[in-house]
Amino acid sequence: MRVQSLSLAAASAALLAPTTAPTPPPSYGDRPVAWRAGTVSAADLLAEVRDCTPVSRGNYRSDHGAPATIPVCGTRDAVYWKADMDIDCDGRPGPRCNRRTDPYFAPSTAFAQSDGRPLSAERLPFIVVPAPGPVWDYRDHGVRGGSVVAVIHRDRVQYAVVGDTGPRHIIGEASYATAKALGIRPDPHGGGVPSGVTYIVFKNTRVSPIEDHAAAVAAGERAAKRFIGAH
């Protein structure tokens, strides 16, 4: 979990999806994660999470020292939160994620690939959920490693998986690959955005093997269609 001081001001304004067609994100020096507009729009998904029925026993902080203002909300089919995005570069090291590029780098992730190795934050879109604690335990809500997630920023939807855990009182973090695919600066040292990101985790879903991003996209689109009532 990154330790940054980020403001949550203007979060509601940032969550309003524009009506223009989305554009592919820029590359940041290496091959970008494949991205395309799905059949479910950001606006469709955001309309389903406009209101919040809290399932957490309190609120999370976006960063160390920030006020605790972020609840985890829930429906029958999903849990979700609206927060910032800090950049997780933990896991298998590479040219973009290593001890030199990330002052908080850890060579492990809470959930491993099918071959037992840590996930690659550079290559795999995944999010970080808070470790089970007094505020919320993700395991009680049909969430586990490999659960399918829709991550929304502006007019873009990126499907990902739950791939790592972070501090018990902080929420709002995703892998380098997730940020890059959404057009967010993925630099682990100063990247991310201070607000305007929505994370929707679909309950009782799982991608296996967890590193199969194409399977996550296919499962995410199916879950998203069900979530908004599409047939």
Side-chain angles (χ1 to χ4, degrees), residues 18 20-26 35-37 153-157 180-184:
T20 54
T23 55
W35 182 91
R36 63 181 176 84
H153 178 61
R154 296 181 178 174
D155 60 348
R156 296 174 181 159
V157 180
K180 185 170 64 173
L182 288 169
I184 295 171

Side-chain angles (χ1 to χ4, degrees), residues 80-196:
Y80 57 93
W81 54 93
K82 302 176 183 182
D84 64 338
M85 181 184 286
D86 295 333
I87 307 302
D88 184 9
C89 245
D90 295 341
R92 202 163 72 251
R96 303 292 173 183
C97 291
N98 55 64
R99 296 187 186 280
R100 296 187 309 276
T101 62
D102 182 359
Y104 305 105
F105 178 78
S108 62
T109 50
F111 307 105
Q113 292 187 164
S114 55
D115 61 5
R117 293 190 298 170
L119 303 181
S120 170
E122 287 186 22
R123 295 177 176 273
L124 182 67
F126 66 79
I127 72 160
V128 179
V129 294
V135 179
W136 182 57
D137 187 336
Y138 64 86
R139 300 170 298 184
D140 295 337
H141 297 269
V143 177
R144 52 187 169 173
S147 288
V148 180
V149 188
V151 188
I152 305 163
H153 178 61
R154 296 181 178 174
D155 60 348
R156 296 174 181 159
V157 180
Q158 174 65 35
Y159 294 107
V161 293
V162 173
D164 204 358
T165 59
R168 291 183 174 186
H169 297 284
I170 296 176
I171 204 165
E173 186 176 7
S175 68
Y176 181 105
T178 307
K180 185 170 64 173
L182 288 169
I184 295 171
R185 184 172 175 238
D187 183 358
H189 187 54
V193 289
S195 63

Side-chain angles (χ1 to χ4, degrees), residues 2 7-8 13 16 34 37 43 57 66 68 80 93 112 126 131 142 149 158 187 197 200 206 210 218-219 227-228:
R2 305 284 72 81
S7 170
L8 289 177
L16 294 176
R57 303 179 189 91
Y80 57 93
F126 66 79
V149 188
Q158 174 65 35
D187 183 358
V197 181
I200 304 174
R206 189 177 189 182
I210 192 173
F227 188 60
I228 67 169

Side-chain angles (χ1 to χ4, degrees), residues 48-71:
E48 297 297 321
V49 297
R50 184 177 294 114
D51 300 319
C52 177
T53 300
V55 295
S56 56
R57 303 179 189 91
N59 296 334
Y60 282 98
R61 304 176 188 275
S62 60
D63 298 284
H64 290 290
T69 59
I70 306 168

